[in-house]
Amino acid sequence: MESSEFARIWTLAAAFGLLSVIPLVMVSDKYPWAVLAVVIFGSICTIAIDALSTRSDQTRSYFKAKVVPQQPQSLDLSHRETIDVSMFYEREYWSKHFGISEDELREAVLTVGPNIATLTAYLEYKQNKGSIPPSTASPS
């Protein structure tokens, strides 16, 4: 049994007690016919409380927005001509695209600017420069 059902049962029991048992004790010695009237009145009120609480629960669930979990969409920024390194999603996308860290991407943007074509050429140059064997490099 869920805790909300448990609380609902005890609320109904308390309502029945207040609406029927207490008045029953107060008037039973003077008006014996009132016993039946109070029990019927308490039962009707308890059923009404149950019906109204059930209806309000249904209304709340009807108006509650249904949240559908969405799969994260893969971001495609390949159509852009420049990079805005102040945007975290652009740093993440372009650092994965170029295969470098976000710090290296920031450094490259500071060095050559935010233009993607220029950055691509710069990073290719930097990668090729690092891959030249030391024995074939010209002495400086």
Side-chain angles (χ1 to χ4, degrees), residues 6 9 13 37 44 50 53 68 89 97 99 104 106 109 127 140:
F6 184 76
I9 289 169
I44 290 171
D50 182 41
S53 68
V68 178
Y89 61 90
H97 176 78
E104 290 173 321
R106 281 192 188 113
V109 169
Q127 185 180 23
S140 313

Side-chain angles (χ1 to χ4, degrees), residues 12 16 19 40-54:
L12 291 174
F16 183 77
L19 295 174
I40 291 172
F41 178 73
S43 300
I44 290 171
C45 289
T46 304
I47 291 169
I49 290 170
D50 182 41
L52 290 174
S53 68
T54 304

Side-chain angles (χ1 to χ4, degrees), residues 3 7 12 15 21 34 43 48 50-51 54 58 61 65 72 76 80 95-97 102 105 120 127 129 131 133 135-136:
S3 62
L12 291 174
V21 175
S43 300
D50 182 41
T54 304
Q58 291 171 351
S61 66
D76 183 20
R80 299 273 178 99
S95 62
K96 286 180 183 176
H97 176 78
E102 290 184 17
L105 180 67
T120 303
Q127 185 180 23
K129 182 179 173 186
S131 65
S135 61
T136 59

Side-chain angles (χ1 to χ4, degrees), residues 1-2 14 72 82-83 85 89 99-101 107-108 140:
M1 183 182 310
E2 293 182 15
T82 60
I83 296 176
V85 290
Y89 61 90
I100 58 175
S101 70
E107 181 184 320
S140 313

Side-chain angles (χ1 to χ4, degrees), residues 73-132:
Q73 306 245 342
S74 60
L75 189 62
D76 183 20
L77 300 175
S78 60
H79 64 282
R80 299 273 178 99
E81 293 182 12
T82 60
I83 296 176
D84 183 3
V85 290
S86 65
M87 304 303 281
F88 74 93
Y89 61 90
E90 288 199 31
R91 285 192 314 267
E92 185 178 283
Y93 174 82
W94 289 109
S95 62
K96 286 180 183 176
H97 176 78
F98 290 127
I100 58 175
S101 70
E102 290 184 17
D103 291 333
E104 290 173 321
L105 180 67
R106 281 192 188 113
E107 181 184 320
V109 169
L110 286 174
T111 304
V112 296
N115 187 300
I116 302 228
T118 308
L119 278 168
T120 303
Y122 172 74
L123 292 171
E124 285 176 0
Y125 169 76
K126 192 173 175 184
Q127 185 180 23
N128 289 337
K129 182 179 173 186
S131 65
I132 298 173

